[in-house]
Amino acid sequence: MSPVFSHGDLRLYLLSLLDEAPRHGYDIMQALADRTGGTYTPSAGTIYPRLSKLEDDGLVTKTVDGRKTVYEITDAGHAEVASRSGDLEGIQAGLADSVRLIADEVRGSVREAMKSLRADLASARDQQQEPPAPARADDPRFAGREQLHRADVAINAFRARVRSDLRLFTAGGGVIEAEVVDRLTAALDEAGREVTRALQR
């Protein structure tokens, strides 16, 4: 899934949110989620380090209000937002494009899942119409089907877990390095070779 913000853009966007009004951390995260239609909900680990850097740079200040820490833009922060209005317009346009892309990917995933579900339902109906064959635990074909089912479950669970982790990472603004994809591909290739070797024994 494509990242919502390019490198450095989130910093300026956070500053623009504080240019509108002082906010606490959760309010900033909620504002980002609202303005991306719920397609991007940043984590505290994404937002607070950037707010700390803005504070270090003298662009925001923070005050503790009860149990909340409120961030407020400084005059220098206002000046930066004003001087980079063109960049901010580009970020807004890119953000709209990213949200559309993410929404398209989600719709594609839903369509794929529905197609798979329809195929599973059709297969289940076909199996119900066929007369059940007597199952014998000592029949090698019965044991083979059981093991195949276990393998299918394991493969699907692994696929779902990896896809979920990757989607969560990129939705949080992370960029998947090519090395990670290469290592995943190599691991899957090795697992496939191991299965082939085991079947040939």
Side-chain angles (χ1 to χ4, degrees):
M1 188 177 290
S2 305
V4 174
F5 288 95
S6 299
H7 180 70
D9 287 351
L10 180 56
R11 174 185 180 278
L12 180 57
Y13 199 77
L14 290 176
L15 204 56
S16 74
L17 290 176
L18 294 173
D19 190 49
E20 297 172 0
R23 300 175 186 266
H24 55 81
Y26 177 78
D27 185 31
I28 292 172
M29 290 184 272
Q30 190 60 50
L32 284 165
D34 291 344
R35 296 186 188 202
T36 58
T39 59
Y40 175 61
T41 304
S43 66
T46 298
I47 297 302
Y48 286 108
R50 285 171 171 80
L51 290 172
S52 293
K53 184 64 169 65
L54 289 172
E55 185 183 9
D56 291 343
D57 292 343
L59 302 176
V60 304
T61 60
K62 68 179 180 184
T63 55
V64 178
D65 180 14
R67 297 179 62 183
K68 295 178 181 177
T69 300
V70 178
Y71 295 85
E72 186 171 357
I73 196 167
T74 64
D75 289 342
H78 284 301
E80 177 161 340
V81 171
S83 68
R84 299 187 61 190
S85 59
D87 292 339
L88 195 54
E89 288 176 7
I91 292 171
Q92 294 278 18
L95 184 60
D97 290 340
S98 294
V99 170
R100 278 194 294 271
L101 283 173
I102 290 173
D104 288 344
E105 290 178 24
V106 170
R107 281 192 291 269
S109 296
V110 170
R111 282 195 296 269
E112 182 183 329
M114 290 302 297
K115 182 190 290 186
S116 177
L117 178 60
R118 283 193 291 268
D120 289 344
L121 290 172
S123 175
R125 281 194 299 269
D126 291 343
Q127 289 177 4
Q128 287 176 350
Q129 293 170 1
E130 295 174 0
R136 293 178 49 191
D138 59 346
D139 184 345
R141 290 174 299 178
F142 173 77
R145 286 194 296 273
E146 284 293 306
Q147 296 303 331
L148 176 60
H149 175 70
R150 288 182 60 198
D152 280 341
V153 169
I155 290 168
N156 289 334
F158 172 78
R159 179 175 178 269
R161 186 169 65 251
V162 171
R163 286 188 67 182
S164 175
D165 288 346
L166 293 175
R167 285 175 183 274
L168 284 173
F169 178 72
T170 54
V175 177
I176 301 171
E177 301 292 340
E179 180 187 354
V180 174
V181 178
D182 292 343
R183 288 171 61 187
L184 175 60
T185 302
L188 291 173
D189 286 345
E190 178 55 33
R193 286 192 292 271
E194 182 62 30
V195 170
T196 301
R197 287 195 292 268
L199 292 174
Q200 292 173 346
R201 288 174 189 160

